[in-house]
Amino acid sequence: MTQTTDLRGVIPERDARSGPGGLVLGLLLLGQFMAILDVNIVNVALPTMRADLHASGAGLQLIVAGYTITYAVLLITGARLGDIAGHRRTYHAGLAAFTVMSLACGLAPSTWPLVGFRFLQGAGAALMTPQVMSMIQRNFTGAARARALGFYSAVIAGGVVVGQAAGGLLVSADLFGAGWRTVFLVNVPIGAVLLAAGPRLLPRDGGGARRGDLDLRGLLTLSPAVLLFVVPLILGHELGWPLWGWFSLAASAAFLAAFVAVERGVAARGGRPLVSPRVLRAPRLLPACGALMLAPGTWGSFLFTTTLHLQGDLRMSPLRSGLAFVPCVAAFALVGLNWQRLPVRWHRRVIPVGFAIAAAGYLCVGPLAGGGVAYEALTAVIGFGLGVMSIIMTVGLEHVPAADAADASGLLLTLMQISQVIGVATIGTLFLTAAESSGSTRHAEYATGWALGAVALAGTAFTVLLARGRAAARDA
């Protein structure tokens, strides 16, 4: 299957660095950045929320988790809606919903309205963010697309770290006495600017946009499958892994089996399933999915556990702990934005090498957990290795037709989001348990590093398949 090139409404190759293409890319990625930012920016504001709102522990968990839950559940549906209604129109609708709900969160009078607004804010993000990758797929080609995906990966990585640092900065600044509310209100002026600029800059949805069925039966089986899977993982540790969580995971598996059966039936009748078998048959997409089910999980859990260690035994402030990840993100961006400068014959070898470098870095987390320059350098090594995620996305999507970009982008984004939830729930639980039993976050870093290294090494199997497939395609 080769890249579709004769599509109405698809703009010729743009330069991702300057000119109109750069403005379009900047607009898209700023929206993506806000969505990723809001996954983490709330964390450091929780103590002030508890004091101001008199929130319970369950309420605080849902303020954080509500956004992630709806974001993960609705990503594939958001991608399909973009394909049906138009990516530009859907991006603006999601951006408007996200901005309005950010304002509502910032003005929430008590805990439970805030929880509800967070759920709706996540829904807006799920509507907006799949359109980013879809519009990159449809409006950038060749080297410009690869570079745009490099920026995309850097934004995803940077948004997580900036969220932690920005949250600490905004809460500490206490602008206009707003306290924790500023972590939500900061989105409002940014969203307003994007909504004003979008109609002028974003390419119009052309005739290449596919119309079709939303596949409601697929939605009604996939959504509970994801929801029942994600909720116990997010809340399980804090609630002591109650029995209902295990029943929820079992029910998730049942809904997932039902979803597979429904999708096969839709495809057999000539309809358009939510996850198209044709998309899954695209060369290298499945190995890319496997790699992206592991790499973001290690990244998310590394940031989570390291932040707790920096603010634990190393006694850093929230702002300083967020800034401690700058070398990591800088190295990540360095690889993601410059790998194309390497000789072409090296490209296929870089992916498994990157995972191996990250794995080696993770294994050193425990021995270097005392902090200092060596620890900062270690975060850069890990970021350098995981910088190959942008290459994985490029290789995995390069043979997906532009008409199927929405389905592929929704699938990859969902896998990446769920991967981070699983990583934080499993490796994060390992860290918290070890820290509680030993009374030391530094001691917990040893077990965490070994677990992260093992997962990264497991991911090399998928990256080897990805690299071999790409080489075969080039030689054919």
Side-chain angles (χ1 to χ4, degrees), residues 8-9 23 32 36 51 80 85 99 112 193 228 247 254 278 335 358 364 390-391 398-399 403 420 428 433 436 443 465:
R8 291 173 296 169
L23 292 174
Q32 177 73 58
I36 297 297
R80 174 58 58 85
T99 304
W112 296 110
V193 170
L228 291 167
F247 280 116
R278 181 178 65 183
V335 175
C364 296
S390 61
I391 313 177
E398 66 183 350
H399 286 277
Q420 293 189 59
T433 301
E436 290 168 3
H443 176 81
L465 290 174

Side-chain angles (χ1 to χ4, degrees), residues 59-114:
L60 291 176
Q61 292 171 44
L62 287 173
I63 289 171
V64 176
Y67 180 90
T68 305
I69 290 170
T70 50
Y71 188 41
V73 166
L74 297 177
L75 272 170
I76 291 181
T77 301
R80 174 58 58 85
L81 286 172
D83 219 17
I84 294 173
H87 301 297
R88 169 178 155 161
R89 185 178 297 111
T90 308
Y91 175 85
H92 284 142
L95 176 61
F98 180 88
T99 304
V100 170
M101 286 303 108
S102 294
L103 177 62
C105 288
L107 300 178
S110 60
T111 301
W112 296 110
L114 177 56

Side-chain angles (χ1 to χ4, degrees), residues 72-268:
V73 166
L74 297 177
L75 272 170
I76 291 181
T77 301
R80 174 58 58 85
L81 286 172
D83 219 17
I84 294 173
H87 301 297
R88 169 178 155 161
R89 185 178 297 111
T90 308
Y91 175 85
H92 284 142
L95 176 61
F98 180 88
T99 304
V100 170
M101 286 303 108
S102 294
L103 177 62
C105 288
L107 300 178
S110 60
T111 301
W112 296 110
L114 177 56
V115 169
F117 294 144
R118 280 288 281 173
F119 273 88
L120 294 174
Q121 188 189 32
L127 196 62
M128 171 178 63
T129 56
Q131 318 317 321
V132 175
M133 189 183 291
S134 294
M135 284 193 276
I136 288 175
Q137 283 287 95
R138 298 179 73 87
N139 294 285
F140 295 87
T141 60
R145 177 190 290 177
R147 189 167 183 83
L149 288 173
F151 279 111
Y152 178 88
S153 296
V155 162
I156 290 178
V160 175
V161 176
V162 173
Q164 297 175 174
L169 179 62
L170 289 171
V171 172
S172 300
D174 192 21
L175 298 174
F176 308 107
W180 60 266
R181 299 179 186 276
T182 56
V183 302
F184 300 113
L185 296 176
V186 69
N187 293 324
V188 177
I190 300 174
V193 170
L194 294 181
L195 286 169
R200 297 175 179 271
L201 295 177
L202 290 182
R204 295 185 179 276
D205 297 311
R210 292 180 60 181
R211 310 291 167 180
D213 187 5
L214 184 59
D215 186 15
L216 289 176
R217 283 175 292 181
L219 174 61
L220 292 176
T221 50
L222 179 63
S223 293
V226 176
L227 183 66
L228 291 167
F229 182 75
V230 169
V231 169
L233 290 181
I234 292 176
L235 302 179
H237 179 265
E238 290 295 327
L239 299 180
W241 298 104
L243 184 61
W244 67 259
W246 299 106
F247 280 116
S248 179
L249 292 174
S252 172
F255 272 103
L256 182 60
F259 172 72
V260 172
V262 166
E263 296 299 271
R264 286 177 176 172
V266 172

